[in-house]
Amino acid sequence: MEILDGRKTAKDIRKSIKIKVDELIAQGKRVPGLAVVIVGFDPASESYVKSKEKACKRAGIYSKLIKLESEISQETLLEEINKLNRDENIDGILIQLPLPAHIDPDAVMNCIDPIKDVDGFNFINIGSLCVGKEYLAPCTPKGIIRLLKHYNIELSGKKVCIIGRSNIVGKPLALLFLQENCTVTVCHSRTKNPEFHTLNSDIIVPAVGISKFLKSDMVSEGAIVIDVGINVDSDGKICGDVDYESVAPKCSFITPVPGGVGPMTIALLLENTFIAYRKLISS
Ligand code: GUN
């Protein structure tokens, strides 16, 4: 069994982005910029946002944090986004989810200029991904594919089982695996006998947000397991969607939690910001 080290892989990606950013700045280009908008207070969101800011700084990317009160109207929020759409020092715009219940997340995501949509949640970018013409794809799914490729894992022809059909992970990840010529099954809360699908898969990706959901009797010998979950177990410890102790010995490769998919998401956010920056400075 080999561990897919997301922390180390993410560091390599961040380093290579920093080199490319420094080169462009040395040629006289402006500094790339990422705006992160957070509405209301959510402890998990605060912690993600801090990690994103730190990663930007280290990669030579300017980061602008915009904190808005939870009572903000949808109209005012859309005005704030339009200001960022027009801001020439901002290449990427990320609106931290979840948003308060009175705000329609689709209206917010679709207000972001698709060129600056580093989360890839805008309908235009989702549509492009769907027809295989990806511009900015969501960071977590992109991070998962990148991690597998970093370890030279052959994807073509592999049977993949994704558990979870969210717009942030499950659905875009299914599209990216299809693009890699995998055969993809997406299980969800109404799937009967998920173990029937997981036992027949080469790669299993649980993204359900349930502590230790994937047990060893759901995994075949030699499977590759990518754990997207970040949960807190009954002892208050961070754990994933995989019952790691029992599943890991059966795997050929597995991601740890923490230190697997999480750091890759942030690295790919920087990469998406760099892609948007390169497009904007050349347009
Ligand atoms: N909240 C949890 N995951 C994400 C993500 O990938 N992007 C944004 N914007 N918010 C999130």
Side-chain angles (χ1 to χ4, degrees):
M1 184 273 291
E2 192 176 341
I3 297 211
L4 298 169
D5 187 343
R7 211 167 264 151
K8 186 174 166 298
T9 311
K11 199 171 170 186
D12 291 349
I13 295 171
R14 293 202 314 263
K15 264 192 199 157
S16 87
I17 294 169
K18 167 125 181 66
I19 292 168
K20 289 189 264 185
V21 166
D22 288 348
E23 269 170 19
L24 286 166
I25 291 173
Q27 288 169 22
K29 305 289 188 211
R30 63 173 173 77
V31 171
L34 171 69
V36 175
V37 178
I38 181 161
V39 184
F41 181 81
D42 172 57
S45 293
E46 294 276 329
S47 133
Y48 293 143
V49 164
K50 273 206 187 102
S51 316
K52 287 168 189 165
E53 277 198 297
K54 193 168 140 194
C56 278
K57 203 171 276 173
R58 283 205 199 142
I61 296 173
Y62 157 66
S63 83
K64 179 174 182 164
L65 177 62
I66 297 159
K67 281 194 180 189
L68 302 168
E69 54 188 27
S70 58
E71 295 77 24
I72 192 170
S73 71
Q74 181 165 311
E75 195 188 348
T76 312
L77 175 59
L78 298 186
E79 276 168 26
E80 288 290 333
I81 295 170
N82 276 319
K83 275 190 222 158
L84 296 169
N85 284 338
R86 291 190 296 268
D87 189 333
E88 289 180 354
N89 290 312
I90 293 297
D91 302 288
I93 304 171
L94 180 144
I95 317 292
Q96 187 64 38
L97 296 173
L99 287 164
H102 67 280
I103 293 174
D104 171 14
D106 289 340
V108 170
M109 293 307 158
N110 289 329
C111 179
I112 301 171
D113 182 336
I115 292 191
K116 299 190 176 186
D117 173 33
V118 286
D119 253 330
F121 295 162
N122 184 298
F123 287 3
I124 295 205
N125 285 319
I126 296 169
S128 302
L129 173 65
C130 201
V131 293
K133 303 261 160 53
E134 153 193 352
Y135 165 53
L136 295 168
C139 306
T140 301
K142 228 172 143 172
I144 290 170
I145 301 287
R146 186 64 66 81
L147 185 59
L148 291 162
K149 287 191 171 176
H150 187 84
Y151 281 83
N152 297 315
I153 293 168
E154 174 68 36
L155 296 178
S156 183
K158 290 277 167 68
K159 286 179 283 184
V160 177
C161 182
I162 300 166
I163 313 169
R165 56 175 155 178
S166 72
N167 293 332
I168 295 180
V169 182
K171 285 184 210 166
L173 182 59
L175 294 169
L176 288 177
F177 272 123
L178 275 177
Q179 201 71 20
E180 298 296 333
N181 303 311
C182 295
T183 302
V184 185
T185 302
V186 182
C187 294
H188 48 77
S189 51
R190 309 286 173 88
T191 301
K192 297 198 170 95
N193 305 322
E195 64 281 5
F196 170 81
H197 301 284
T198 56
L199 282 168
N200 188 36
S201 296
D202 305 303
I203 301 174
I204 309 168
V205 189
V208 285
I210 301 172
S211 297
K212 304 180 186 180
F213 172 84
L214 191 80
K215 308 275 190 229
S216 66
D217 60 2
M218 298 171 78
V219 177
S220 289
E221 207 64 49
I224 298 168
V225 171
I226 308 289
D227 191 347
V228 182
I230 303 177
N231 315 298
V232 180
D233 71 9
S234 47
D235 304 328
K237 261 180 62 183
I238 298 278
C239 74
D241 289 352
V242 176
D243 185 14
Y244 190 89
E245 304 303 305
S246 70
V247 170
K250 294 182 91 172
C251 295
S252 56
F253 294 93
I254 188 166
T255 58
V257 175
V261 173
M264 293 300 290
T265 297
I266 294 182
L268 272 290
L269 171 65
L270 301 187
E271 188 173 282
N272 276 356
T273 305
F274 182 74
I275 291 170
Y277 164 69
R278 231 179 13 202
K279 192 162 183 99
L280 283 160
I281 57 174
S282 63
S283 63

